[in-house]
Amino acid sequence: YMGSGIMSQPKKPLYQIVFDKFDKDGTGKLSVTEFRFLCNDLGYGLSERQVSAAVEVIDKDGDGIISLSEFAAWWKTSNRSESLELSEAELVNRENASQAFRFFDKDHSGNIQTSEFPAFFEYLQKFGLVGSRTQEECLADLDISGDGKIQFYEYVQFLERIGSIPRRVWCE
C-alpha cells in the first residue's frame, strides 16, 4: 500500500516509448510514413528509398509494416543508425534484391514459400549465388528461422554471408 493510494506502473522500455509516440493511429504497427517521421525526429535525414529499404529489412514477417517486436529487435542493435544510412550502391543492391524477391513471391505473402522456392533457386543458380549447394541445402541456408519459408531479411542476410552485398547488422 502506497500513501497516495496509487499503484506505480512498471516503466516502459525506451523502445516502447519511442514506438508508441510514432504509432499515431494506435494500431500497434508502424507504417512506412510513421517510420519516416520517427527517423526524421531521431535526426536521420533519409530519402524515401532509404526509408523503404530499412522498412523492408526490419519488417521480418514481410507484411509491409513494423510491429513492436520487429522494432524492438532493430532498436536493440548497437548500430541501428548505421543500418539506415545506405550508400547509393547499397540502395541499388537492396532494391534489386527486393525486386527479385517480390518477383518470386508469387502469392504476395511477404515470403517465399516452399512451393515458390524451386524457381527462386534456379534464379540464384543462374547468377552463381548458390555455389555447389543443392536446392535443399540452399533452402536450409536461407531459412534462418527454420519456419519453411524465406523472409526478405533472411535473403538479405544470405546475400551478405556470400559477399554479394556488403554486410550490415539490421536486426538480431
Side-chain angles (χ1 to χ4, degrees):
Y1 173 75
M2 299 177 83
S4 64
I6 299 171
M7 299 290 288
S8 64
Q9 294 290 327
K11 282 187 143 186
K12 284 184 181 180
L14 182 58
Y15 69 82
Q16 171 110 43
I17 294 166
V18 172
F19 184 91
D20 290 347
K21 177 182 175 185
F22 290 93
D23 179 19
K24 297 293 186 196
D25 56 8
T27 60
K29 303 249 183 187
L30 293 180
S31 68
V32 173
T33 301
E34 290 168 330
F35 187 70
R36 181 181 321 105
F37 287 134
L38 181 150
C39 290
N40 289 341
D41 261 30
L42 294 178
Y44 306 130
L46 303 179
S47 70
E48 293 291 317
R49 291 169 63 205
Q50 288 172 315
V51 171
S52 294
V55 169
E56 276 194 332
V57 176
I58 295 169
D59 171 29
K60 297 233 180 206
D61 65 8
D63 63 359
I65 46 183
I66 300 172
S67 68
L68 177 60
S69 63
E70 292 166 337
F71 181 78
W74 170 74
W75 184 264
K76 292 174 184 177
T77 59
S78 59
N79 69 336
R80 67 177 173 264
S81 65
E82 292 170 27
S83 71
L84 296 175
E85 297 162 357
L86 298 176
S87 70
E88 181 63 25
E90 289 171 314
L91 268 176
V92 168
N93 284 340
R94 300 255 178 205
E95 288 169 344
N96 290 341
S98 177
Q99 287 173 355
F101 189 87
R102 283 196 307 267
F103 178 80
F104 290 99
D105 177 16
K106 298 294 184 194
D107 63 357
H108 308 289
S109 62
N111 49 61
I112 295 178
Q113 309 284 336
T114 311
S115 61
E116 298 164 326
F117 188 71
F120 188 60
F121 178 73
E122 283 182 34
Y123 166 82
L124 296 174
Q125 273 184 317
K126 179 179 168 187
F127 288 97
L129 300 176
V130 296
S132 61
R133 291 178 192 89
T134 65
Q135 186 171 313
E136 293 73 27
E137 291 167 337
C138 188
L139 178 60
D141 195 19
L142 277 155
D143 183 18
I144 297 165
S145 65
D147 62 2
K149 48 192 177 210
I150 302 162
Q151 283 81 19
F152 183 69
Y153 83 94
E154 292 174 318
Y155 176 49
V156 168
Q157 288 180 1
F158 169 79
L159 293 174
E160 290 173 340
R161 284 194 309 275
I162 65 170
S164 180
I165 59 176
R167 183 178 292 272
R168 292 217 175 233
V169 177
W170 287 84
C171 299
E172 297 300 328

